[in-house]
Amino acid sequence: MSTTPLPPPAAGPGASLLRGALLAASFTPDGLLDLLGAPAYAALARGETVPARRATREADTPAAVLTRLFLLRLPVPLARVRHALPSGATRDATLDAALGDGWLVRDGDEVRATADVRPYAGDDGQDWWIVSDALGHRGEARDIVLGVGGASTTLAGLTIRRPARRVLDLGTGCGVQALHATRHADRVTATDVNPRALRMAAATLALSGAPAADLREGSLFEPVKDARDGGDGGENAYDLIVSNPPFVISPARAGHGGGGLTYRDGGLAGDELCRTVVGESAAHLADGGWCQILANWQQVDGEDWRERVAAWVPPGCDAWIVRREEQDVTQYTELWLRDAGAHRGEQAAYEEAYAAWLDEFAARRTHAVGFGWITLRKSGAGRPSVVVEDWPHPVEQPLGETIRAHFARQDFLRSHDDAALLRTRYVLADGVVQEQLGAPGAEDPEHVVLRQRHGMLRARAMDTVGAGLAGSCDGTLTAGTILDAIARLLDVDPVAVRSGAPEWLRPLVEQGFLIPRE
């Protein structure tokens, strides 16, 4: 395989012919899984090609030929590629278009693919394809464009999928977030500082049969300055901004173990890039609009990371900030040096780069780096809700509706004092179950736990009163009425039960165990 990435394919009219050929060959997520088997399929997603090579070495089906061509990036005889295309009048036209638009390049009697073309399942099971540079190029060229990874799919699952006039994909890369957005937006704008990425994104959309996006080159919000403050009476503002930005906190000096890679290094000091995206997003959002990003942040000696990241939130915006992972600076350094392939070079150079990263963190008094999700909503509230939490536990994706519902509950809680909270009827959220924990044979449980089976998968320990309320919430009686009945049943003072209830009832609502019927 060449170490220099070839020019990306053009999003020309031939994309539709190639898409038809890929579908006919079952070069799709399901078809690839059937061809390779689950272990080789999963290994391919990690960039490991040996299992897929072994699974396809004896196969000559169209799907196997296309796998060797587009995923394993092997040279394939032109005659074999031609045979893998659907027979009939379009076969030659498809091959000519693939060569003419730059999907393939010819080398004698063989052809090579110019890009990694990877089957990808859409939100509703659509057959899509993501166009990017091969994983083997990582760290070998500054402007390579990565395909779909764990961060990409995480953000796609977090995104609120509601009808929108305009959506902005900030730092689009291979275009996967823009591709998802075309399903629910009238217009999608995608930006990137890397012109190679914009060409890849255009190819991704064209090959997947999605509407073309408004592609703009530039850094951060500069390409969409027409949307600032609503622009044309609000017509240019965005209902949704999504971003998987180059959030890696790397040394300011390029060259230290792959520093300066466009897909991961934003060129700003520390976590300034993520702070800038969050802080400037509100000026480009329509009223009620959302901004959802993945971020890294420095965890600085003597500072509470929660307060530090919460300070990024612009005025008039509600926010939900979730830390999913924390790495000390040595773990973080090793992760990204390996990502750039620095560990495969000279040991002395690797150690020098490692030291440079640690020097940078020491200068910034940073002992660890946090990774997580940040969602903003431009609410205009005078008392914004800013929730910051550490949640390293499993969740159930997709979470878009869970996130939207979180903000709806914040609106409810903001407008209801303790008395109003007790006057409200609630229903137990779908999938919440009760667990009783205690010693075997004991007459009464030591703990009663409410557990969610959807969304954030939270668990919350309850006392008898709280568990009794939760089990009785079917939307017919107010919380106060139920609490009065529980107090009579337990022969305790109902006034005391009512007065203490908001302290635990409010978190049950905030975390989605109980849903206000209104």
Side-chain angles (χ1 to χ4, degrees):
M1 183 187 298
S2 170
T3 58
T4 302
L6 295 167
S16 61
L17 291 173
L18 182 56
R19 179 171 65 255
L22 300 182
L23 286 170
S26 294
F27 189 67
T28 61
D30 288 343
L32 198 60
L33 180 60
D34 290 342
L35 172 69
L36 301 179
Y41 184 85
L44 194 61
R46 299 191 300 270
E48 298 291 346
T49 60
V50 172
R53 286 176 184 249
R54 293 171 62 86
T56 59
R57 62 187 174 187
E58 303 296 333
D60 201 26
T61 64
V65 171
L66 294 174
T67 297
R68 289 195 287 270
L69 184 66
F70 286 119
L71 296 180
L72 302 180
R73 303 298 296 278
L74 300 171
V76 177
L78 179 62
R80 186 164 293 181
V81 173
R82 187 175 186 276
H83 184 70
L85 302 177
S87 60
T90 63
R91 172 176 282 176
D92 289 337
T94 301
L95 187 57
D96 289 344
L99 290 165
D101 287 350
W103 296 95
L104 304 175
V105 292
R106 188 167 180 174
D107 182 10
D109 292 332
E110 294 181 327
V111 293
R112 288 180 178 271
T114 62
D116 183 286
V117 176
R118 193 159 299 245
Y120 179 76
D123 297 314
D124 299 315
Q126 303 94 337
D127 289 319
W128 289 341
W129 294 269
I130 305 300
V131 183
S132 67
D133 286 314
L135 290 176
H137 288 311
R138 184 178 296 201
E140 297 167 359
R142 170 180 169 81
D143 291 336
I144 65 165
V145 180
L146 294 192
V148 173
S152 304
T153 55
T154 293
L155 181 58
L158 295 174
T159 303
I160 296 168
R161 303 293 175 196
R162 289 295 177 101
R165 291 182 311 109
R166 304 183 78 224
V167 172
L168 171 63
D169 178 10
L170 193 72
T172 189
C174 65
V176 61
Q177 308 304 330
L179 178 59
H180 281 280
T182 61
R183 296 284 298 170
H184 61 98
D186 295 335
R187 181 178 180 183
V188 176
T189 300
T191 71
D192 206 290
V193 71
N194 183 2
R196 183 177 181 83
L198 295 176
R199 289 195 63 180
M200 290 289 192
T204 289
L205 295 172
L207 189 60
S208 298
D214 176 13
L215 301 174
R216 304 187 187 187
E217 182 181 346
S219 178
L220 298 176
F221 290 102
E222 179 61 26
V224 293
K225 56 187 177 183
D226 59 320
R228 184 171 178 84
D229 296 323
D232 180 17
E235 290 301 311
N236 288 329
Y238 294 99
D239 300 304
L240 172 66
I241 298 171
V242 292
S243 184
N244 178 16
F247 51 62
V248 177
I249 301 172
S250 53
R253 291 170 291 164
H256 284 297
L261 296 174
T262 305
Y263 70 85
R264 67 170 212 189
D265 300 300
L268 299 181
D271 52 19
E272 182 66 15
L273 184 136
C274 291
R275 187 198 67 80
T276 300
V277 172
V278 172
E280 294 186 3
S281 62
H284 302 272
L285 287 173
D287 291 342
W290 304 89
C291 175
Q292 297 185 268
I293 80 164
L294 303 182
N296 276 190
W297 51 78
Q298 298 172 141
Q299 297 184 183
V300 178
D301 295 339
E303 296 184 21
D304 186 321
W305 71 267
R306 296 169 180 81
E307 295 177 359
R308 188 172 189 279
V309 182
W312 295 357
V313 178
C317 287
D318 298 328
W320 189 13
I321 300 165
V322 181
R323 186 177 72 174
R324 294 289 290 156
E325 185 177 357
E326 176 189 32
Q327 289 186 322
D328 67 50
V329 293
T330 60
Q331 293 173 308
Y332 191 80
T333 297
E334 291 160 15
L335 169 67
W336 293 110
L337 287 178
R338 287 181 174 275
D339 172 81
H343 62 297
R344 296 192 296 265
E346 295 281 344
Q347 181 65 21
Y350 175 78
E351 292 177 1
E352 180 184 359
Y354 201 134
W357 282 63
L358 295 186
D359 287 345
E360 186 88 1
F361 285 126
R364 297 184 176 282
R365 299 184 297 109
T366 299
H367 62 270
V369 175
F371 170 82
W373 321 321
I374 300 177
T375 299
L376 305 180
R377 180 185 59 168
K378 189 174 181 179
S379 64
R383 294 186 297 113
S385 164
V386 178
V387 176
V388 186
E389 64 176 313
D390 189 29
W391 191 256
H393 312 294
V395 298
E396 182 189 55
Q397 285 272 39
L399 278 171
E401 276 302 296
T402 297
I403 292 173
R404 186 202 61 77
H406 164 89
F407 285 87
R409 294 192 301 271
Q410 293 301 320
D411 286 342
F412 168 82
L413 291 170
R414 185 162 43 205
S415 63
H416 285 65
D417 60 17
D418 289 352
L421 210 62
L422 297 180
R423 291 195 299 268
T424 301
R425 295 174 171 84
Y426 301 93
V427 295
L428 194 65
D430 181 46
V432 173
V433 296
Q434 177 178 299
E435 299 175 354
Q436 295 185 350
L437 305 178
E443 183 176 348
D444 297 312
E446 295 176 12
H447 303 284
V448 175
V449 176
L450 297 182
R451 188 176 299 277
Q452 297 172 344
R453 293 189 294 183
H454 303 301
M456 295 296 286
L457 306 181
R458 300 184 189 274
R460 192 168 186 89
M462 304 298 301
D463 63 12
T464 303
V465 173
L469 173 73
S472 302
C473 283
D474 60 4
T476 59
L477 299 174
T478 68
T481 301
I482 296 172
L483 288 172
D484 290 343
I486 293 173
R488 288 194 297 272
L489 184 64
L490 298 178
D491 195 23
V492 295
D493 182 6
V495 175
V497 170
R498 276 179 171 259
S499 65
E503 182 178 349
W504 51 262
L505 178 56
R506 197 168 287 274
L508 282 181
V509 176
E510 179 178 72
Q511 295 178 0
F513 289 92
L514 295 179
I515 309 300
R517 186 175 180 182
E518 63 190 58

